[in-house]
PDB file of all heavy atoms in Angstrom:
ATOM      1  N   LEU A   8      20.612   1.750  -9.878  1.00  0.00           N
ATOM      2  CA  LEU A   8      19.415   0.920  -9.820  1.00  0.00           C
ATOM      3  C   LEU A   8      19.572  -0.323 -10.687  1.00  0.00           C
ATOM      4  O   LEU A   8      19.068  -1.390 -10.367  1.00  0.00           O
ATOM      5  CB  LEU A   8      18.199   1.733 -10.265  1.00  0.00           C
ATOM      6  CG  LEU A   8      17.740   2.794  -9.265  1.00  0.00           C
ATOM      7  CD1 LEU A   8      16.596   3.608  -9.856  1.00  0.00           C
ATOM      8  CD2 LEU A   8      17.311   2.171  -7.945  1.00  0.00           C
ATOM      9  N   GLY A  12      19.258  -4.028  -9.511  1.00  0.00           N
ATOM     10  CA  GLY A  12      18.325  -4.916 -10.178  1.00  0.00           C
ATOM     11  C   GLY A  12      18.905  -6.247 -10.587  1.00  0.00           C
ATOM     12  O   GLY A  12      18.164  -7.184 -10.850  1.00  0.00           O
ATOM     13  N   GLY A  15      17.898  -8.546  -8.062  1.00  0.00           N
ATOM     14  CA  GLY A  15      16.447  -8.616  -8.065  1.00  0.00           C
ATOM     15  C   GLY A  15      15.896  -9.428  -9.212  1.00  0.00           C
ATOM     16  O   GLY A  15      14.963 -10.202  -9.045  1.00  0.00           O
ATOM     17  N   LEU A  16      16.467  -9.255 -10.389  1.00  0.00           N
ATOM     18  CA  LEU A  16      15.952  -9.970 -11.536  1.00  0.00           C
ATOM     19  C   LEU A  16      16.182 -11.471 -11.405  1.00  0.00           C
ATOM     20  O   LEU A  16      15.379 -12.274 -11.877  1.00  0.00           O
ATOM     21  CB  LEU A  16      16.600  -9.440 -12.818  1.00  0.00           C
ATOM     22  CG  LEU A  16      16.133  -8.041 -13.233  1.00  0.00           C
ATOM     23  CD1 LEU A  16      16.965  -7.534 -14.403  1.00  0.00           C
ATOM     24  CD2 LEU A  16      14.665  -8.040 -13.586  1.00  0.00           C
ATOM     25  N   LEU A  19      13.500 -12.688  -9.195  1.00  0.00           N
ATOM     26  CA  LEU A  19      12.219 -12.692  -9.885  1.00  0.00           C
ATOM     27  C   LEU A  19      11.942 -14.041 -10.527  1.00  0.00           C
ATOM     28  O   LEU A  19      10.801 -14.479 -10.631  1.00  0.00           O
ATOM     29  CB  LEU A  19      12.215 -11.596 -10.951  1.00  0.00           C
ATOM     30  CG  LEU A  19      10.912 -11.396 -11.738  1.00  0.00           C
ATOM     31  CD1 LEU A  19       9.802 -10.959 -10.797  1.00  0.00           C
ATOM     32  CD2 LEU A  19      11.121 -10.386 -12.845  1.00  0.00           C
ATOM     33  N   VAL A  24       4.961 -13.337  -7.893  1.00  0.00           N
ATOM     34  CA  VAL A  24       4.501 -11.967  -7.715  1.00  0.00           C
ATOM     35  C   VAL A  24       2.986 -11.998  -7.663  1.00  0.00           C
ATOM     36  O   VAL A  24       2.357 -12.950  -8.110  1.00  0.00           O
ATOM     37  CB  VAL A  24       4.970 -11.058  -8.869  1.00  0.00           C
ATOM     38  CG1 VAL A  24       6.483 -10.985  -8.893  1.00  0.00           C
ATOM     39  CG2 VAL A  24       4.447 -11.543 -10.207  1.00  0.00           C
ATOM     40  N   PRO A  25       2.352 -10.952  -7.083  1.00  0.00           N
ATOM     41  CA  PRO A  25       0.900 -10.954  -6.987  1.00  0.00           C
ATOM     42  C   PRO A  25       0.259 -11.088  -8.367  1.00  0.00           C
ATOM     43  O   PRO A  25       0.633 -10.426  -9.313  1.00  0.00           O
ATOM     44  CB  PRO A  25       0.595  -9.584  -6.354  1.00  0.00           C
ATOM     45  CG  PRO A  25       1.850  -9.211  -5.638  1.00  0.00           C
ATOM     46  CD  PRO A  25       2.963  -9.774  -6.476  1.00  0.00           C
ATOM     47  N   LEU A  81      15.079   0.663  -2.199  1.00  0.00           N
ATOM     48  CA  LEU A  81      15.555   0.467  -3.566  1.00  0.00           C
ATOM     49  C   LEU A  81      14.425  -0.049  -4.456  1.00  0.00           C
ATOM     50  O   LEU A  81      14.309   0.343  -5.623  1.00  0.00           O
ATOM     51  CB  LEU A  81      16.726  -0.511  -3.590  1.00  0.00           C
ATOM     52  CG  LEU A  81      18.070   0.027  -3.093  1.00  0.00           C
ATOM     53  CD1 LEU A  81      19.045  -1.128  -2.859  1.00  0.00           C
ATOM     54  CD2 LEU A  81      18.660   1.040  -4.070  1.00  0.00           C
ATOM     55  N   ALA A  82      13.591  -0.922  -3.904  1.00  0.00           N
ATOM     56  CA  ALA A  82      12.446  -1.421  -4.666  1.00  0.00           C
ATOM     57  C   ALA A  82      11.514  -0.278  -5.038  1.00  0.00           C
ATOM     58  O   ALA A  82      11.053  -0.172  -6.181  1.00  0.00           O
ATOM     59  CB  ALA A  82      11.705  -2.476  -3.846  1.00  0.00           C
ATOM     60  N   HIS A  83      11.227   0.585  -4.057  1.00  0.00           N
ATOM     61  CA  HIS A  83      10.355   1.730  -4.316  1.00  0.00           C
ATOM     62  C   HIS A  83      10.951   2.647  -5.385  1.00  0.00           C
ATOM     63  O   HIS A  83      10.257   3.069  -6.319  1.00  0.00           O
ATOM     64  CB  HIS A  83      10.127   2.500  -3.020  1.00  0.00           C
ATOM     65  CG  HIS A  83       9.517   3.843  -3.222  1.00  0.00           C
ATOM     66  ND1 HIS A  83       8.208   4.014  -3.639  1.00  0.00           N
ATOM     67  CD2 HIS A  83      10.040   5.094  -3.098  1.00  0.00           C
ATOM     68  CE1 HIS A  83       7.945   5.308  -3.759  1.00  0.00           C
ATOM     69  NE2 HIS A  83       9.039   5.984  -3.430  1.00  0.00           N
ATOM     70  N   LEU A  84      12.241   2.960  -5.255  1.00  0.00           N
ATOM     71  CA  LEU A  84      12.878   3.840  -6.228  1.00  0.00           C
ATOM     72  C   LEU A  84      12.898   3.212  -7.618  1.00  0.00           C
ATOM     73  O   LEU A  84      12.740   3.904  -8.630  1.00  0.00           O
ATOM     74  CB  LEU A  84      14.299   4.174  -5.767  1.00  0.00           C
ATOM     75  CG  LEU A  84      14.411   5.032  -4.501  1.00  0.00           C
ATOM     76  CD1 LEU A  84      15.869   5.162  -4.075  1.00  0.00           C
ATOM     77  CD2 LEU A  84      13.793   6.409  -4.710  1.00  0.00           C
ATOM     78  N   SER A  85      13.089   1.899  -7.672  1.00  0.00           N
ATOM     79  CA  SER A  85      13.075   1.205  -8.961  1.00  0.00           C
ATOM     80  C   SER A  85      11.707   1.334  -9.621  1.00  0.00           C
ATOM     81  O   SER A  85      11.604   1.641 -10.819  1.00  0.00           O
ATOM     82  CB  SER A  85      13.429  -0.271  -8.777  1.00  0.00           C
ATOM     83  OG  SER A  85      14.757  -0.429  -8.325  1.00  0.00           O
ATOM     84  N   MET A  86      10.657   1.089  -8.849  1.00  0.00           N
ATOM     85  CA  MET A  86       9.318   1.153  -9.421  1.00  0.00           C
ATOM     86  C   MET A  86       8.948   2.577  -9.806  1.00  0.00           C
ATOM     87  O   MET A  86       8.298   2.810 -10.832  1.00  0.00           O
ATOM     88  CB  MET A  86       8.313   0.532  -8.460  1.00  0.00           C
ATOM     89  CG  MET A  86       8.536  -0.957  -8.272  1.00  0.00           C
ATOM     90  SD  MET A  86       7.259  -1.803  -7.316  1.00  0.00           S
ATOM     91  CE  MET A  86       5.911  -1.852  -8.513  1.00  0.00           C
ATOM     92  N   ALA A  87       9.375   3.543  -9.000  1.00  0.00           N
ATOM     93  CA  ALA A  87       9.111   4.940  -9.342  1.00  0.00           C
ATOM     94  C   ALA A  87       9.816   5.339 -10.632  1.00  0.00           C
ATOM     95  O   ALA A  87       9.345   6.227 -11.353  1.00  0.00           O
ATOM     96  CB  ALA A  87       9.551   5.846  -8.195  1.00  0.00           C
ATOM     97  N   ALA A  88      10.942   4.686 -10.927  1.00  0.00           N
ATOM     98  CA  ALA A  88      11.691   4.964 -12.156  1.00  0.00           C
ATOM     99  C   ALA A  88      11.192   4.143 -13.334  1.00  0.00           C
ATOM    100  O   ALA A  88      11.762   4.204 -14.423  1.00  0.00           O
ATOM    101  CB  ALA A  88      13.180   4.684 -11.928  1.00  0.00           C
ATOM    102  N   GLY A  89      10.115   3.365 -13.122  1.00  0.00           N
ATOM    103  CA  GLY A  89       9.563   2.565 -14.205  1.00  0.00           C
ATOM    104  C   GLY A  89      10.161   1.186 -14.348  1.00  0.00           C
ATOM    105  O   GLY A  89       9.792   0.450 -15.260  1.00  0.00           O
ATOM    106  N   ARG A  90      11.062   0.803 -13.432  1.00  0.00           N
ATOM    107  CA  ARG A  90      11.689  -0.529 -13.487  1.00  0.00           C
ATOM    108  C   ARG A  90      10.874  -1.472 -12.587  1.00  0.00           C
ATOM    109  O   ARG A  90      11.320  -1.915 -11.532  1.00  0.00           O
ATOM    110  CB  ARG A  90      13.141  -0.446 -13.041  1.00  0.00           C
ATOM    111  CG  ARG A  90      14.000   0.443 -13.949  1.00  0.00           C
ATOM    112  CD  ARG A  90      15.408   0.597 -13.401  1.00  0.00           C
ATOM    113  NE  ARG A  90      16.086  -0.695 -13.300  1.00  0.00           N
ATOM    114  CZ  ARG A  90      16.728  -1.288 -14.297  1.00  0.00           C
ATOM    115  NH1 ARG A  90      16.781  -0.722 -15.485  1.00  0.00           N
ATOM    116  NH2 ARG A  90      17.316  -2.445 -14.118  1.00  0.00           N
ATOM    117  N   THR A  91       9.651  -1.772 -13.055  1.00  0.00           N
ATOM    118  CA  THR A  91       8.701  -2.503 -12.228  1.00  0.00           C
ATOM    119  C   THR A  91       9.185  -3.908 -11.902  1.00  0.00           C
ATOM    120  O   THR A  91       9.066  -4.367 -10.752  1.00  0.00           O
ATOM    121  CB  THR A  91       7.332  -2.566 -12.930  1.00  0.00           C
ATOM    122  OG1 THR A  91       6.889  -1.230 -13.202  1.00  0.00           O
ATOM    123  CG2 THR A  91       6.300  -3.262 -12.055  1.00  0.00           C
ATOM    124  N   ASP A  92       9.735  -4.623 -12.872  1.00  0.00           N
ATOM    125  CA  ASP A  92      10.200  -5.988 -12.618  1.00  0.00           C
ATOM    126  C   ASP A  92      11.299  -6.001 -11.561  1.00  0.00           C
ATOM    127  O   ASP A  92      11.320  -6.854 -10.664  1.00  0.00           O
ATOM    128  CB  ASP A  92      10.715  -6.629 -13.905  1.00  0.00           C
ATOM    129  CG  ASP A  92       9.592  -7.004 -14.863  1.00  0.00           C
ATOM    130  OD1 ASP A  92       8.427  -6.972 -14.428  1.00  0.00           O
ATOM    131  OD2 ASP A  92       9.888  -7.316 -16.026  1.00  0.00           O
ATOM    132  N   THR A  93      12.224  -5.056 -11.661  1.00  0.00           N
ATOM    133  CA  THR A  93      13.294  -4.980 -10.671  1.00  0.00           C
ATOM    134  C   THR A  93      12.721  -4.661  -9.296  1.00  0.00           C
ATOM    135  O   THR A  93      13.093  -5.274  -8.291  1.00  0.00           O
ATOM    136  CB  THR A  93      14.316  -3.904 -11.073  1.00  0.00           C
ATOM    137  OG1 THR A  93      14.904  -4.271 -12.315  1.00  0.00           O
ATOM    138  CG2 THR A  93      15.410  -3.772 -10.015  1.00  0.00           C
ATOM    139  N   GLY A  94      11.805  -3.699  -9.239  1.00  0.00           N
ATOM    140  CA  GLY A  94      11.192  -3.349  -7.966  1.00  0.00           C
ATOM    141  C   GLY A  94      10.451  -4.513  -7.344  1.00  0.00           C
ATOM    142  O   GLY A  94      10.563  -4.774  -6.138  1.00  0.00           O
ATOM    143  N   MET A  95       9.700  -5.249  -8.160  1.00  0.00           N
ATOM    144  CA  MET A  95       8.960  -6.396  -7.638  1.00  0.00           C
ATOM    145  C   MET A  95       9.907  -7.459  -7.102  1.00  0.00           C
ATOM    146  O   MET A  95       9.653  -8.090  -6.075  1.00  0.00           O
ATOM    147  CB  MET A  95       8.090  -6.976  -8.756  1.00  0.00           C
ATOM    148  CG  MET A  95       6.939  -6.091  -9.167  1.00  0.00           C
ATOM    149  SD  MET A  95       5.644  -6.019  -7.924  1.00  0.00           S
ATOM    150  CE  MET A  95       4.905  -7.640  -8.140  1.00  0.00           C
ATOM    151  N   ALA A  96      11.008  -7.674  -7.811  1.00  0.00           N
ATOM    152  CA  ALA A  96      11.973  -8.685  -7.371  1.00  0.00           C
ATOM    153  C   ALA A  96      12.636  -8.279  -6.060  1.00  0.00           C
ATOM    154  O   ALA A  96      12.856  -9.111  -5.176  1.00  0.00           O
ATOM    155  CB  ALA A  96      13.023  -8.898  -8.451  1.00  0.00           C
ATOM    156  N   LEU A  97      12.958  -7.009  -5.917  1.00  0.00           N
ATOM    157  CA  LEU A  97      13.565  -6.535  -4.673  1.00  0.00           C
ATOM    158  C   LEU A  97      12.579  -6.629  -3.512  1.00  0.00           C
ATOM    159  O   LEU A  97      12.957  -7.003  -2.392  1.00  0.00           O
ATOM    160  CB  LEU A  97      14.070  -5.106  -4.853  1.00  0.00           C
ATOM    161  CG  LEU A  97      15.294  -4.965  -5.766  1.00  0.00           C
ATOM    162  CD1 LEU A  97      15.526  -3.500  -6.137  1.00  0.00           C
ATOM    163  CD2 LEU A  97      16.533  -5.546  -5.106  1.00  0.00           C
ATOM    164  N   TYR A  98      11.319  -6.306  -3.760  1.00  0.00           N
ATOM    165  CA  TYR A  98      10.308  -6.498  -2.710  1.00  0.00           C
ATOM    166  C   TYR A  98      10.220  -7.976  -2.329  1.00  0.00           C
ATOM    167  O   TYR A  98      10.105  -8.314  -1.140  1.00  0.00           O
ATOM    168  CB  TYR A  98       8.944  -6.006  -3.181  1.00  0.00           C
ATOM    169  CG  TYR A  98       8.670  -4.551  -2.881  1.00  0.00           C
ATOM    170  CD1 TYR A  98       8.348  -3.659  -3.902  1.00  0.00           C
ATOM    171  CD2 TYR A  98       8.709  -4.064  -1.576  1.00  0.00           C
ATOM    172  CE1 TYR A  98       8.087  -2.323  -3.634  1.00  0.00           C
ATOM    173  CE2 TYR A  98       8.451  -2.731  -1.299  1.00  0.00           C
ATOM    174  CZ  TYR A  98       8.138  -1.862  -2.332  1.00  0.00           C
ATOM    175  OH  TYR A  98       7.884  -0.542  -2.056  1.00  0.00           O
ATOM    176  N   ALA A  99      10.266  -8.853  -3.324  1.00  0.00           N
ATOM    177  CA  ALA A  99      10.204 -10.287  -3.034  1.00  0.00           C
ATOM    178  C   ALA A  99      11.371 -10.711  -2.154  1.00  0.00           C
ATOM    179  O   ALA A  99      11.215 -11.513  -1.226  1.00  0.00           O
ATOM    180  CB  ALA A  99      10.199 -11.085  -4.338  1.00  0.00           C
ATOM    181  N   GLN A 119       4.581  -2.015  -1.094  1.00  0.00           N
ATOM    182  CA  GLN A 119       4.599  -2.568  -2.440  1.00  0.00           C
ATOM    183  C   GLN A 119       3.259  -2.329  -3.131  1.00  0.00           C
ATOM    184  O   GLN A 119       3.215  -2.026  -4.334  1.00  0.00           O
ATOM    185  CB  GLN A 119       4.903  -4.065  -2.393  1.00  0.00           C
ATOM    186  CG  GLN A 119       5.024  -4.702  -3.771  1.00  0.00           C
ATOM    187  CD  GLN A 119       5.319  -6.191  -3.700  1.00  0.00           C
ATOM    188  OE1 GLN A 119       5.245  -6.802  -2.640  1.00  0.00           O
ATOM    189  NE2 GLN A 119       5.653  -6.780  -4.828  1.00  0.00           N
ATOM    190  N   ALA A 120       2.176  -2.461  -2.379  1.00  0.00           N
ATOM    191  CA  ALA A 120       0.853  -2.238  -2.968  1.00  0.00           C
ATOM    192  C   ALA A 120       0.706  -0.815  -3.488  1.00  0.00           C
ATOM    193  O   ALA A 120       0.175  -0.591  -4.580  1.00  0.00           O
ATOM    194  CB  ALA A 120      -0.231  -2.548  -1.941  1.00  0.00           C
ATOM    195  N   TRP A 121       1.196   0.162  -2.719  1.00  0.00           N
ATOM    196  CA  TRP A 121       1.122   1.540  -3.204  1.00  0.00           C
ATOM    197  C   TRP A 121       1.952   1.716  -4.468  1.00  0.00           C
ATOM    198  O   TRP A 121       1.549   2.425  -5.412  1.00  0.00           O
ATOM    199  CB  TRP A 121       1.577   2.520  -2.120  1.00  0.00           C
ATOM    200  CG  TRP A 121       0.445   2.982  -1.249  1.00  0.00           C
ATOM    201  CD1 TRP A 121       0.266   2.717   0.077  1.00  0.00           C
ATOM    202  CD2 TRP A 121      -0.670   3.790  -1.645  1.00  0.00           C
ATOM    203  NE1 TRP A 121      -0.893   3.298   0.530  1.00  0.00           N
ATOM    204  CE2 TRP A 121      -1.479   3.971  -0.496  1.00  0.00           C
ATOM    205  CE3 TRP A 121      -1.065   4.371  -2.849  1.00  0.00           C
ATOM    206  CZ2 TRP A 121      -2.674   4.706  -0.537  1.00  0.00           C
ATOM    207  CZ3 TRP A 121      -2.248   5.114  -2.884  1.00  0.00           C
ATOM    208  CH2 TRP A 121      -3.038   5.280  -1.739  1.00  0.00           C
ATOM    209  N   ASP A 122       3.111   1.086  -4.529  1.00  0.00           N
ATOM    210  CA  ASP A 122       3.934   1.196  -5.737  1.00  0.00           C
ATOM    211  C   ASP A 122       3.249   0.531  -6.928  1.00  0.00           C
ATOM    212  O   ASP A 122       3.312   1.038  -8.059  1.00  0.00           O
ATOM    213  CB  ASP A 122       5.316   0.600  -5.499  1.00  0.00           C
ATOM    214  CG  ASP A 122       6.217   1.512  -4.681  1.00  0.00           C
ATOM    215  OD1 ASP A 122       6.045   2.741  -4.760  1.00  0.00           O
ATOM    216  OD2 ASP A 122       7.087   0.996  -3.964  1.00  0.00           O
ATOM    217  N   LEU A 123       2.600  -0.601  -6.692  1.00  0.00           N
ATOM    218  CA  LEU A 123       1.845  -1.250  -7.760  1.00  0.00           C
ATOM    219  C   LEU A 123       0.689  -0.371  -8.216  1.00  0.00           C
ATOM    220  O   LEU A 123       0.434  -0.228  -9.424  1.00  0.00           O
ATOM    221  CB  LEU A 123       1.326  -2.607  -7.277  1.00  0.00           C
ATOM    222  CG  LEU A 123       2.354  -3.731  -7.197  1.00  0.00           C
ATOM    223  CD1 LEU A 123       1.829  -4.884  -6.353  1.00  0.00           C
ATOM    224  CD2 LEU A 123       2.714  -4.215  -8.590  1.00  0.00           C
ATOM    225  N   TYR A 124      -0.001   0.203  -7.264  1.00  0.00           N
ATOM    226  CA  TYR A 124      -1.126   1.085  -7.596  1.00  0.00           C
ATOM    227  C   TYR A 124      -0.651   2.247  -8.461  1.00  0.00           C
ATOM    228  O   TYR A 124      -1.257   2.571  -9.484  1.00  0.00           O
ATOM    229  CB  TYR A 124      -1.756   1.588  -6.298  1.00  0.00           C
ATOM    230  CG  TYR A 124      -2.847   2.610  -6.498  1.00  0.00           C
ATOM    231  CD1 TYR A 124      -4.165   2.216  -6.734  1.00  0.00           C
ATOM    232  CD2 TYR A 124      -2.568   3.970  -6.453  1.00  0.00           C
ATOM    233  CE1 TYR A 124      -5.163   3.154  -6.925  1.00  0.00           C
ATOM    234  CE2 TYR A 124      -3.559   4.916  -6.636  1.00  0.00           C
ATOM    235  CZ  TYR A 124      -4.850   4.507  -6.872  1.00  0.00           C
ATOM    236  OH  TYR A 124      -5.839   5.440  -7.068  1.00  0.00           O
ATOM    237  N   ARG A 125       0.445   2.866  -8.063  1.00  0.00           N
ATOM    238  CA  ARG A 125       0.950   4.014  -8.811  1.00  0.00           C
ATOM    239  C   ARG A 125       1.474   3.606 -10.186  1.00  0.00           C
ATOM    240  O   ARG A 125       1.511   4.424 -11.103  1.00  0.00           O
ATOM    241  CB  ARG A 125       2.039   4.718  -8.010  1.00  0.00           C
ATOM    242  CG  ARG A 125       1.515   5.363  -6.720  1.00  0.00           C
ATOM    243  CD  ARG A 125       2.607   6.099  -5.964  1.00  0.00           C
ATOM    244  NE  ARG A 125       2.121   6.603  -4.685  1.00  0.00           N
ATOM    245  CZ  ARG A 125       2.534   6.190  -3.494  1.00  0.00           C
ATOM    246  NH1 ARG A 125       3.475   5.244  -3.422  1.00  0.00           N
ATOM    247  NH2 ARG A 125       2.044   6.711  -2.393  1.00  0.00           N
ATOM    248  N   SER A 126       1.875   2.343 -10.326  1.00  0.00           N
ATOM    249  CA  SER A 126       2.342   1.869 -11.629  1.00  0.00           C
ATOM    250  C   SER A 126       1.181   1.482 -12.536  1.00  0.00           C
ATOM    251  O   SER A 126       1.401   1.150 -13.707  1.00  0.00           O
ATOM    252  CB  SER A 126       3.285   0.669 -11.453  1.00  0.00           C
ATOM    253  OG  SER A 126       2.565  -0.505 -11.122  1.00  0.00           O
ATOM    254  N   GLY A 127      -0.038   1.491 -12.001  1.00  0.00           N
ATOM    255  CA  GLY A 127      -1.216   1.169 -12.802  1.00  0.00           C
ATOM    256  C   GLY A 127      -1.767  -0.220 -12.590  1.00  0.00           C
ATOM    257  O   GLY A 127      -2.811  -0.565 -13.162  1.00  0.00           O
ATOM    258  N   ASP A 128      -1.112  -1.037 -11.766  1.00  0.00           N
ATOM    259  CA  ASP A 128      -1.597  -2.400 -11.523  1.00  0.00           C
ATOM    260  C   ASP A 128      -2.464  -2.397 -10.265  1.00  0.00           C
ATOM    261  O   ASP A 128      -2.062  -2.863  -9.197  1.00  0.00           O
ATOM    262  CB  ASP A 128      -0.414  -3.364 -11.368  1.00  0.00           C
ATOM    263  CG  ASP A 128      -0.844  -4.820 -11.498  1.00  0.00           C
ATOM    264  OD1 ASP A 128      -2.055  -5.102 -11.406  1.00  0.00           O
ATOM    265  OD2 ASP A 128       0.039  -5.682 -11.689  1.00  0.00           O
ATOM    266  N   VAL A 129      -3.672  -1.880 -10.423  1.00  0.00           N
ATOM    267  CA  VAL A 129      -4.559  -1.697  -9.268  1.00  0.00           C
ATOM    268  C   VAL A 129      -5.026  -3.036  -8.714  1.00  0.00           C
ATOM    269  O   VAL A 129      -5.174  -3.201  -7.504  1.00  0.00           O
ATOM    270  CB  VAL A 129      -5.764  -0.810  -9.658  1.00  0.00           C
ATOM    271  CG1 VAL A 129      -6.672  -0.575  -8.451  1.00  0.00           C
ATOM    272  CG2 VAL A 129      -5.280   0.527 -10.210  1.00  0.00           C
ATOM    273  N   ALA A 131      -3.417  -5.932  -8.624  1.00  0.00           N
ATOM    274  CA  ALA A 131      -2.371  -6.520  -7.778  1.00  0.00           C
ATOM    275  C   ALA A 131      -2.218  -5.739  -6.481  1.00  0.00           C
ATOM    276  O   ALA A 131      -1.971  -6.323  -5.422  1.00  0.00           O
ATOM    277  CB  ALA A 131      -1.043  -6.554  -8.534  1.00  0.00           C
TER     278      ALA A 131
END
Side-chain angles (χ1 to χ4, degrees):
L8 288 176
L16 288 172
L19 183 63
V24 297
L81 285 166
H83 167 70
L84 293 174
S85 295
M86 294 187 74
R90 298 175 61 84
T91 303
D92 287 348
T93 298
M95 291 289 286
L97 290 167
Y98 270 123
Q119 184 180 11
W121 270 113
D122 283 331
L123 284 164
Y124 175 86
R125 294 182 185 114
S126 75
D128 196 344
V129 182

